[in-house]
Amino acid sequence: MRIAFFLDQSFPPDSRVENEAHSLIQAGHQVHLFSLNYKKLSPSRVTINGIEVYRCKAGKLLYKASALAYEWGYFHNSLREPIKEFIEEIRPDALHVHDMLLAKAVMDVNDRYYRLPLTLDLHENRPEIMQYYPHLQKFPAKHLVKIDLWKSAQNELIRRADKVVMVTPEAIDVAVRDTQEPRSKFLAVANTISPEIYWNYPIDTKVVKRFKKGFDVVYVGDTGLRRGTDTAVRAMQKVVKYIPQAQLVLVGKSTEDSQLKQLVADLGLGAHVLFEGWQDVSLFPSYIKGAEVCISPLHRNLHHDTTLANKLFQYMAGERAVVASDCPAQVSVVNKAKAGLIFEAANHEQLATCLLELYNNPTLAREFGENGKKAVESEYNWDCTAKSLINYYTQLSEALNFP
């Protein structure tokens, strides 16, 4: 089949889009990707790892309008013609829209002219997570963006789609409840990793040597407060009382880093919390190798409860014990894999207790790490995850009488 992908940002990068496309191409399909070229990448047409990429011109006005995509018609109205031209040119057999931002424009064009099978691939529950964006807490966005309108729009898009791909079974539970659509309409495709790629990144000895001979707790990814980085900092107060050489290593950045650094200063933890800033994913294995424990301390909300971060699988692939907050989706993975300990989200005392337990029982920490790696090898890897998506498109191609 010839499948048209739609992405609301420049490509590359987007690991989920690339992973899905690569798997479908290996299964014998063609993938043509329409992407909004905000970064002004060139050329406008390019083949990347077998993906035929069509870059649509997108300027600052369109980018700003995307923040009000469901409050103001400009964003979708502007994109209907470019989307129609793309579909006319490549003549796809099916459409696959990533996230909700572009979905309305694609669906409107499809309903009017083509009526092709359309899959909506929701990488996240955007209306839920938007409530926690720092810039939406400020004027004027706070008064312009209507979260309820986005929630209603997402539910309507789910109803209009022929198939809906979500990240976890927990996310599907919420969508079924909110839309009353049959569960058979949904497909869970987790954000697992390709462990071979992870393991092929060379270990940077300069990074590993910077770790002290103590107890190193590593976090990788966005360091925004909703990710529980504040909980991790507060937990270190107790940890360093028992382990003077302990340190928390934060590998990533966010617009809230100044608040986090102030918290570190207020608690007198400057010598025990390292801010590494943004680092390329190729360095993650080096940081994880230097750790005794890795953490995913997400705060509880409907989005975090129903999604899985790549970091969880990166930690497990790196054979390190995991300490995670009690967001149901990550609890399910950690407990099933027997890969670590769970604490109550935002409870820094419990997090500290878990960290100290692993420090005092290195054999248990090692077992958790070994279990996690085995689980990634056997189940939580992209080759296994992609099977459901490939099977769906195989069934669709058979229904459409493809040879």
Side-chain angles (χ1 to χ4, degrees):
M1 294 177 65
R2 189 184 292 251
I3 305 167
F5 271 28
F6 295 86
L7 180 64
D8 58 20
Q9 59 189 23
S10 299
F11 183 86
D14 191 300
S15 59
R16 182 175 176 88
V17 170
E18 189 162 7
N19 285 341
E20 289 185 4
H22 183 62
S23 294
L24 291 172
I25 290 167
Q26 284 189 315
H29 303 289
Q30 295 179 33
V31 176
H32 297 255
L33 173 64
F34 175 100
S35 73
L36 294 182
N37 193 17
Y38 292 119
K39 293 182 180 178
K40 298 182 180 179
L41 302 177
S42 61
S44 60
R45 311 287 179 88
V46 63
T47 303
I48 300 175
N49 293 332
I51 309 167
E52 301 296 332
V53 181
Y54 175 102
R55 291 170 171 152
C56 176
K57 290 183 180 179
K60 289 184 179 179
L61 178 58
L62 191 70
Y63 178 74
K64 291 181 178 180
S66 69
L68 298 170
Y70 288 93
E71 289 85 0
W72 182 31
Y74 177 82
F75 181 79
H76 293 119
N77 291 340
S78 299
L79 289 169
R80 289 191 183 100
E81 191 57 33
I83 288 169
K84 184 174 181 293
E85 290 176 0
F86 170 70
I87 293 174
E88 288 287 343
E89 178 180 336
I90 71 165
R91 295 290 179 179
D93 306 301
L95 310 180
H96 190 117
V97 188
H98 290 272
D99 275 326
M100 69 177 288
L101 203 57
L102 275 178
K104 184 179 186 303
V106 176
M107 288 181 180
D108 288 348
V109 170
N110 187 46
D111 289 349
R112 182 172 180 181
Y113 298 104
Y114 308 107
R115 298 192 179 278
L116 296 167
L118 186 144
T119 296
L120 176 63
D121 194 328
L122 295 175
H123 300 190
E124 61 183 5
N125 189 329
R126 184 170 294 211
E128 286 298 328
I129 203 61
M130 284 169 64
Q131 300 178 69
Y132 302 94
Y133 290 166
H135 67 279
L136 292 187
Q137 312 302 317
K138 303 173 184 177
F139 179 86
K142 183 176 181 179
H143 301 286
L144 293 175
V145 177
K146 310 297 182 185
I147 300 297
D148 287 344
L149 192 60
W150 283 73
K151 288 181 180 179
S152 177
Q154 180 172 261
N155 289 339
E156 181 59 24
L157 294 169
I158 289 172
R159 294 186 185 101
R160 292 176 67 181
D162 297 297
K163 196 74 174 179
V164 181
V165 176
M166 306 190 92
V167 178
T168 65
E170 291 84 358
I172 292 174
D173 291 340
V174 173
V176 169
R177 181 197 69 197
D178 290 348
T179 65
Q180 301 301 305
E181 292 291 285
R183 193 173 185 85
S184 59
K185 184 174 187 173
F186 298 87
L187 186 67
V189 178
N191 284 324
T192 54
I193 64 171
S194 297
E196 295 80 7
I197 295 176
Y198 177 95
W199 292 323
N200 279 335
Y201 288 132
I203 297 299
D204 189 322
T205 55
K206 292 181 180 178
V207 170
V208 178
K209 285 179 180 178
R210 292 180 53 231
F211 287 83
K212 298 177 181 178
K213 292 182 179 179
F215 186 70
D216 297 290
V217 180
V218 165
Y219 170 93
V220 302
D222 187 306
T223 54
L225 300 182
R226 67 180 175 85
R227 315 276 182 162
T229 47
D230 57 337
T231 307
V233 169
R234 294 182 190 280
M236 293 304 292
Q237 267 191 305
K238 182 176 180 178
V239 171
V240 298
K241 289 179 181 179
Y242 296 92
I243 317 169
Q245 292 297 311
Q247 60 181 9
L248 171 64
V249 184
L250 300 173
V251 185
K253 68 175 183 177
S254 84
T255 57
E256 296 177 308
D257 279 352
S258 58
Q259 295 170 248
L260 202 57
K261 289 177 180 178
Q262 185 60 54
L263 177 62
V264 170
D266 292 344
L267 297 178
L269 292 170
H272 300 281
V273 180
L274 302 183
F275 288 87
E276 295 294 286
W278 182 90
Q279 301 292 333
D280 190 82
V281 67
S282 63
L283 286 175
F284 285 7
S286 300
Y287 281 101
I288 292 169
K289 182 178 177 63
E292 273 71 45
V293 179
C294 295
I295 59 172
S296 180
L298 297 173
H299 287 175
R300 291 289 301 272
N301 58 53
L302 187 58
H303 171 66
H304 290 160
D305 282 359
T306 59
T307 194
L308 288 169
N310 276 347
K311 65 172 65 67
L312 202 60
F313 304 112
Q314 290 164 340
Y315 297 159
M316 292 162 65
E319 207 169 350
R320 289 296 177 264
V322 175
V323 177
S325 61
D326 60 347
C327 298
Q330 62 181 14
V331 169
S332 176
V333 171
V334 173
N335 284 347
K336 183 178 180 181
K338 297 180 181 179
L341 300 175
I342 302 296
F343 72 98
E344 180 185 20
N347 188 328
H348 62 274
E349 287 286 341
Q350 278 195 17
L351 172 55
T353 298
C354 289
L355 294 174
L356 290 170
E357 180 179 347
L358 293 174
Y359 173 77
N360 290 319
N361 194 339
T363 300
L364 178 63
R366 186 166 56 252
E367 288 177 1
F368 282 149
E370 291 170 354
N371 292 343
K373 185 176 181 181
K374 289 176 183 176
V376 167
E377 291 172 332
S378 64
E379 180 178 359
Y380 297 115
N381 63 74
W382 184 254
D383 286 343
C384 289
T385 299
K387 288 178 181 177
S388 60
L389 184 68
I390 294 169
N391 289 340
Y392 165 66
Y393 273 105
T394 298
Q395 293 167 8
L396 182 59
S397 64
E398 291 171 352
L400 296 175
N401 295 318
F402 277 78

